[in-house]
Amino acid sequence: MLLKKIQLISFRNFEKITLDVEENINIFLGKNGEGKTSLLEAIAMLSMPKSFRTSNINDMIRFSSDYFRVIGIFNDDDGEEKKLEIAYQSGPRKQRSLKINNVKKSTKEFLSGVYIATFVPEDLYLLDLGPTKRREYINRVLSKLDFMYLDNLSRYERAMKERNAVLRRINEGLAGRDELEAWDRQLIDSGVKIIKKRLELLFEMSGGISKKYTEIAAKNDSVYTAYVSKIHEILGENHILKYPFETTDLEELFRSALEKRVDRDIATKVTSVGPHRDDIYFYLKDKSMEQFASRGEKRTLLLALKVTELEIVKTYTLRCPLLLLDDVFSELDNDRQTQLLHLVEPYQTFITTNSEEHFSNFKKAKDVWRFAKGTANKA
């Protein structure tokens, strides 16, 4: 899948801008605040119709306007043209529209249009930002690859919200413990499916991460990933879940962990066990990278993780994903900048930077777009 044209109307600081894209590697060059990241944000929304910068969709509407439109024209691997569009208006009635080839689509249908991976500076701190960010990362990848995962995630979050409400009522003496059973069943059913898909993905990614890490670091260091579950931690067993496993065994473990934590959950009025509390660990030579790795080693791991994600996506979807790199070069040393450019060569890539030095040693064909005052012109 290749992006051939992107058009923004009343989006951020752009009144209207259209880029006809020809090369696989596209550099967006300009000072901060000139709209480079806004254009990347718009491209990303054609894959996952929400911003990687803000949770408030109104932030993306240009000042003095009450709507925006983003249109992307793609060519799929068979040469067929595909038009994706997202539009939003804030008034007089809030309304969002998602279309593929001018036909309105649901969010789930729209998600099947194209896979676009983003790589922003915050991603380079994935090991340091805590388990919430790591769960968000794996949820984002799996939601695009497996729509049933997205359904199970929604079902799990609804069940947990209802269970927490019952916990509050029990704490206040307004309900009995037997009211937890129905929500426990739903929590276990969807939670086990979530954990299973996470384990499958990490199992498939593990070898690629280790291989790419070795290539980037030019060292034969062993790197591996582990899924750390609250379920086993609470039960006092080996806390690292491994794939494959028996679903029925995990269901029983989940139920036992919920029962063991029920008094604490009632006291705190929140559910303390399940995939919403799990984490992903990365190890280098049997030591936790979060605690012991150098900054350079962490950067190398995150580059390896991102490139492995692209390869997994290609395997799952049988389509080549797009990659967006937002100002990550300023966070990398020269060697890692060069390594990253070579690793992304097979993918159509859009890169924002404020310095020509970041790509001056990259000799492959590329287009450079200079951004200034709400415009972008090919250099």
Side-chain angles (χ1 to χ4, degrees):
M1 186 75 74
L2 292 174
L3 178 63
K4 304 302 292 181
K5 178 180 289 190
I6 178 74
Q7 183 177 77
L8 281 59
I9 302 170
S10 295
F11 189 90
R12 295 283 189 181
N13 60 322
F14 296 107
E15 181 178 3
K16 185 175 182 180
I17 186 171
T18 303
L19 268 62
D20 291 303
V21 184
E22 296 177 4
E23 295 289 352
N24 262 23
I25 305 296
N26 293 270
I27 313 291
F28 294 167
L29 177 65
K31 297 178 181 178
N32 293 337
E34 297 292 354
K36 307 185 305 296
T37 297
S38 295
L39 193 52
L40 247 60
E41 176 186 33
I43 295 172
M45 288 180 67
L46 294 172
S47 172
M48 180 73 74
K50 63 180 182 178
S51 169
F52 63 74
R53 300 170 71 189
T54 179
S55 59
N56 185 357
I57 194 168
N58 290 302
D59 290 345
M60 292 172 279
I61 300 175
R62 188 172 184 268
F63 178 72
S64 77
S65 183
D66 61 358
Y67 78 102
F68 71 74
R69 289 177 68 200
V70 177
I71 301 167
I73 306 296
F74 297 82
N75 279 353
D76 65 21
D77 295 338
D78 297 324
E80 295 291 326
E81 188 174 278
K82 181 180 286 187
K83 178 183 177 183
L84 274 67
E85 178 180 345
I86 176 169
Y88 173 76
Q89 68 176 34
S90 59
R93 183 170 63 91
K94 292 182 180 179
Q95 186 175 353
R96 189 186 72 170
S97 171
L98 305 174
K99 295 180 180 179
I100 297 179
N101 292 335
N102 299 316
V103 178
K104 286 190 175 182
K105 299 292 182 180
S106 66
T107 299
K108 186 184 293 187
E109 290 171 325
F110 192 79
L111 286 171
S112 67
V114 61
Y115 192 103
I116 300 175
T118 58
F119 196 10
V120 299
E122 186 181 76
D123 292 336
L124 289 167
Y125 295 89
L126 193 64
L127 269 66
D128 304 308
L129 292 174
T132 298
K133 290 297 182 182
R134 292 187 284 274
R135 286 192 297 268
E136 286 177 0
Y137 169 74
I138 198 167
N139 285 342
R140 188 167 63 247
V141 174
L142 280 168
S143 293
K144 284 288 294 180
L145 294 178
D146 186 334
F147 301 138
M148 287 304 299
Y149 183 87
L150 188 60
D151 282 346
N152 285 318
L153 201 60
S154 297
R155 288 177 57 237
Y156 181 85
E157 289 171 352
R158 285 196 300 270
M160 184 172 62
K161 182 179 179 180
E162 294 294 342
R163 187 179 191 271
N164 289 345
V166 173
L167 290 171
R168 288 193 294 271
R169 292 201 298 273
I170 296 173
N171 179 276
E172 295 164 2
L174 302 175
R177 294 189 178 206
D178 59 313
E179 292 187 34
L180 289 171
E181 177 58 29
W183 300 116
D184 284 357
R185 284 198 304 269
Q186 291 191 33
L187 207 68
I188 292 167
D189 179 64
S190 53
V192 166
K193 292 171 182 173
I194 290 168
I195 293 172
K196 182 179 178 182
K197 292 305 296 186
R198 288 178 177 177
L199 284 168
E200 286 178 356
L201 180 65
L202 289 177
F203 178 78
E204 292 178 3
M205 292 183 74
S206 184
I209 293 170
S210 183
K211 180 182 177 183
K212 294 301 179 186
Y213 185 94
T214 299
E215 290 178 12
I216 298 168
K219 295 180 182 177
N220 194 24
D221 291 335
S222 58
V223 174
Y224 68 93
T225 62
Y227 188 79
V228 182
S229 172
K230 281 287 182 183
I231 294 173
H232 279 178
E233 184 179 313
I234 290 166
L235 296 178
E237 303 175 17
N238 178 5
H239 66 283
I240 296 178
L241 280 175
K242 294 184 178 180
Y243 178 84
F245 61 88
E246 290 296 329
T247 300
T248 53
D249 293 341
L250 185 53
E251 288 174 351
E252 290 305 312
L253 290 173
F254 199 164
R255 183 174 297 281
S256 296
L258 284 171
E259 290 172 354
K260 193 166 186 177
R261 278 292 181 100
V262 68
D263 289 335
R264 175 174 172 170
D265 286 358
I266 291 170
T268 60
K269 296 176 279 189
V270 294
T271 302
S272 62
V273 56
H276 68 290
R277 292 295 183 93
D278 292 350
D279 199 358
I280 304 163
Y281 284 7
F282 298 90
Y283 293 91
L284 174 63
K285 294 183 288 191
D286 296 324
K287 288 187 176 181
S288 167
M289 295 191 73
E290 182 179 2
Q291 299 178 33
F292 298 104
S294 68
R295 177 170 171 164
E297 288 169 335
K298 290 179 179 179
R299 296 288 189 274
T300 300
L301 173 75
L302 271 302
L303 295 181
L305 176 66
K306 185 56 63 173
V307 176
T308 302
E309 175 193 334
L310 295 172
E311 293 181 346
I312 290 290
V313 168
K314 194 172 181 179
T315 299
Y316 264 74
T317 66
L318 302 179
R319 291 184 293 180
C320 201
L322 279 70
L323 176 61
L324 311 181
L325 305 178
D326 183 32
D327 198 30
V328 295
F329 285 89
S330 59
E331 301 284 339
L332 302 173
D333 58 36
N334 289 335
D335 288 342
R336 289 181 177 83
Q337 288 177 15
T338 302
Q339 284 281 2
L340 178 57
L341 283 169
H342 288 305
L343 287 168
V344 303
E345 278 181 18
Y347 306 96
Q348 187 177 30
T349 305
F350 297 83
I351 302 167
T352 67
T353 180
N354 56 17
S355 174
E356 296 187 45
E357 294 179 0
H358 291 154
F359 58 88
S360 60
N361 61 348
F362 184 66
K363 306 305 180 185
K364 297 292 183 180
K366 57 186 177 291
D367 277 340
V368 179
W369 300 83
R370 294 187 182 274
F371 282 69
K373 299 180 181 179
T375 63
N377 296 294
K378 194 181 295 187

